[in-house]
């Protein structure tokens, strides 16, 4: 470079207006998602005994900022909590491409439950200027009765039909 000269120019920048998400008509389960989204779920195993854990994976696919998407609040969904024990903690997720994946555990409260109900996801769609709610498909499951164990069937060092002498069991412990 052998010479320099000053250049004066005016930069033209398109203005961007950032509007707040409206509060009117906001669903109770809205967690800040802005864009367009879909929700899918899968579970395993799908044949369990009451009280056994079921791993539930929730996938949220969308065109908004996926890092900011939160899991649906399962503990606030009466259709879920009436049949399943769920965590009341917010779920951490990870982003893969345009999908955020959350994993949690459900425990059926009783036998006879036939499905994991649809999980709703509410978001604000800036293209339409309105809130939308989408739901996953229900997941068919089979819940059998849990095995029960009688109190006298709990592990002990006393053999059936044997007498205890001197208040001590065979392991040297004192029976009360």
């Amino acid at each position: 470079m052998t010479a320099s000269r000053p250049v004066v120019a005016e930069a033209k920048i398109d203005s961007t207006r950032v509007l707040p998400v409206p509060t009117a008509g906001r669903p109770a389960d809205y967690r800040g998602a802005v864009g367009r989204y879909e929700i899918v779920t899968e579970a395993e195993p799908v044949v369990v005994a009451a009280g056994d854990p079921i791993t539930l994976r929730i996938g949220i696919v969308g065109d908004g900022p996926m890092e900011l998407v939160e899991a649906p609040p399962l503990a606030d969904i009466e259709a879920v909590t009436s049949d399943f024990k769920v965590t009341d903690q917010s779920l951490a997720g990870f982003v893969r491409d345009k999908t955020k994946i959350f994993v949690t555990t459900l425990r059926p409260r009783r036998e006879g439950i036939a499905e994991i109900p649809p999980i709703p996801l509410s978001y604000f769609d800036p293209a339409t200027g309105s809130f939308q709610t989408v739901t996953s498909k229900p997941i068919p499951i089979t819940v059998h009765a849990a095995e029960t164990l009688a109190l006298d069937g709990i592990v002990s060092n006393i053999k059936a039909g044997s007498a205890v002498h001197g208040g001590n069991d065979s392991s040297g412990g004192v029976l009360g």
Side-chain angles (χ1 to χ4, degrees):
M1 182 180 299
T2 59
S4 67
R5 64 183 176 103
V7 176
V8 177
E10 185 176 319
K12 299 271 184 185
I13 299 173
D14 292 334
S15 64
T16 301
R17 246 178 33 162
V18 177
L19 301 173
V21 174
T23 55
R26 182 181 288 185
D29 67 334
Y30 176 69
R31 296 291 183 259
V34 176
R36 300 193 87 206
Y37 298 91
E38 294 177 31
I39 183 170
V40 294
T41 54
E42 65 180 20
E44 67 176 347
V46 293
V47 178
V48 296
D52 285 352
I54 299 173
T55 300
L56 177 67
R57 283 181 285 286
I58 302 169
I60 298 174
V61 182
D63 63 3
M66 297 310 292
E67 300 81 21
L68 303 177
V69 171
E70 293 183 26
L74 297 179
D76 295 341
I77 303 170
E78 200 273 325
V80 175
T81 59
S82 65
D83 288 336
F84 298 91
K85 183 174 180 353
V86 298
T87 182
D88 60 354
Q89 303 294 315
S90 62
L91 302 177
F94 63 92
V95 177
R96 183 181 302 154
D97 300 322
K98 291 186 174 199
T99 304
K100 190 161 188 180
I101 300 168
F102 302 92
V103 180
T104 190
T105 301
L106 306 175
R107 290 183 183 267
R109 295 184 183 273
R110 58 181 168 70
E111 69 177 300
I113 298 170
E115 70 180 19
I116 297 171
I119 307 295
L121 173 71
S122 294
Y123 62 90
F124 181 75
D125 185 346
T128 63
S130 63
F131 290 97
Q132 305 293 321
T133 300
V134 293
T135 58
S136 64
K137 293 181 180 175
I139 301 171
I141 62 172
T142 302
V143 181
H144 300 290
E147 290 186 32
T148 57
L149 184 61
L151 186 58
D152 61 353
I154 297 175
V155 177
S156 76
N157 289 326
I158 302 173
K159 294 181 184 173
S162 67
V164 178
H165 301 286
N168 293 331
D169 69 6
S170 60
S171 66
V174 176
L175 296 175

